[in-house]
Amino acid sequence: MNRYLNVNRIEFAVTYLCNGKCKHCYTTRDKEMFPNHINEFIAQEIVRKVGKKHHPRSIMTFGGEPLLFPEIVFKIHKEAMKVGILRREVITNGYWANNDKKIEEIAKGLFDSGVNNVIISVDVFHQEHIPLKYVRKAAQSCLKAGIKDIEWNPCWVIAENENNRYNKKTKKILQSLEDLSIKISYGNVMQPDGFALLNLKEFLPKKEKIPTGKCGDIPYTDPLDSIQSIFIEPDGKVAVCNDFYIGNARKRDVLKIIEEYDPYKIIEMKSIIENGMIGLAEWARKKGIDPDPNGYYSICHMCTDIRKKVKNMKL
């Protein structure tokens, strides 16, 4: 086993295509560079190999909207069930079709493929474009199919207890669904990324010249020398953090990619581990890139911006 990478979780971005147009969406940056969906055979191979060797506890499929390609989602989770991954999750916006029969077919397909947790994004942003009646039907169909663990997953602006106009509308939407007796998850908080940078500027945090902290200090991240999950892009790239790629499973055995991961041999990673964003800035300056003088909203904002600029210099 790799001392720096213990795979307890596999996450698949099945597709970056979506039938919504959420104004806060962060899965927009350079996503047009990817194929429409992941190759189902590559995805199954990753699950089979990683599942048998590393015995992860959970797997997740999301997007974009993963259930634009339900058969791929089904095959990924069937493979996960075969290799004994216990928690099998789907994050979806719940807008699977415009007719009840198709919605019920997809819900049954999720159950039959072993999905045991369906997380449905419901909030003011999603419901601006996605009819709630279809989302309601999707949840009801999952319950009918036998999936017991279903959650509403709202996105809050700043924090759930902030009394702003977006959170007020989200709470009203959730109240309208109370009759279904589906639990509300902790949800997530709008990130300073993607469309939020354009549409929700008034709610973004104050920028800092050099944000303090490093990977693992904020939600949904691990320290780069103690990674607990891998993230698979639609083109087969394997990431350990936001576009921090360590290989491509279409070109190389995924087990080899995991086995050979060493963040101390990747200079920008080593810089972050040892000295946070100050270390990353020093690495970038040696490459001829200075941090943005206007500052950054978060360590992720700075990290992705600087690494992208250095990468573009090489092209």
Side-chain angles (χ1 to χ4, degrees), residues 4 30 48 51 60 79 128 169 180 219 236 291 301 303:
Y4 304 118
D30 299 330
R48 183 166 57 252
M60 175 184 283
E79 200 65 47
E128 187 175 2
K169 289 180 181 178
L180 293 182
H301 184 211
C303 183

Side-chain angles (χ1 to χ4, degrees), residues 15-112:
T15 180
Y16 284 122
L17 299 179
C18 192
N19 48 13
K21 297 178 182 178
C22 299
K23 65 173 58 175
H24 74 308
C25 184
Y26 60 87
T27 58
T28 57
R29 185 182 59 253
D30 299 330
K31 302 310 181 186
E32 71 280 355
M33 304 293 290
F34 292 94
N36 285 345
H37 58 77
I38 196 166
N39 180 285
E40 62 190 74
F41 302 109
I42 295 293
Q44 287 174 293
E45 182 181 67
I46 291 169
V47 176
R48 183 166 57 252
K49 287 185 172 181
V50 176
K52 287 181 178 179
K53 177 146 190 186
H54 292 272
H55 311 291
R57 293 191 293 266
S58 65
I59 187 169
M60 175 184 283
T61 50
F62 61 103
E65 174 45 52
L67 289 166
L68 290 174
F69 301 97
E71 294 301 325
I72 297 177
V73 173
F74 300 159
K75 288 178 180 179
I76 288 173
H77 287 283
K78 280 181 181 177
E79 200 65 47
M81 188 164 51
K82 285 181 186 176
V83 297
I85 300 176
L86 296 179
R87 189 166 179 83
R88 300 175 292 272
E89 308 169 344
V90 174
I91 290 187
T92 172
N93 63 27
Y95 190 17
W96 304 341
N98 291 333
N99 67 84
D100 290 358
K101 183 179 179 182
K102 183 64 176 176
I103 293 171
E104 290 171 357
E105 286 175 358
I106 290 175
K108 185 176 185 304
L110 290 172
F111 177 78
D112 291 344

Side-chain angles (χ1 to χ4, degrees), residues 8 204 271 313:
N8 286 321
L204 299 179
S271 301
M313 277 188 66

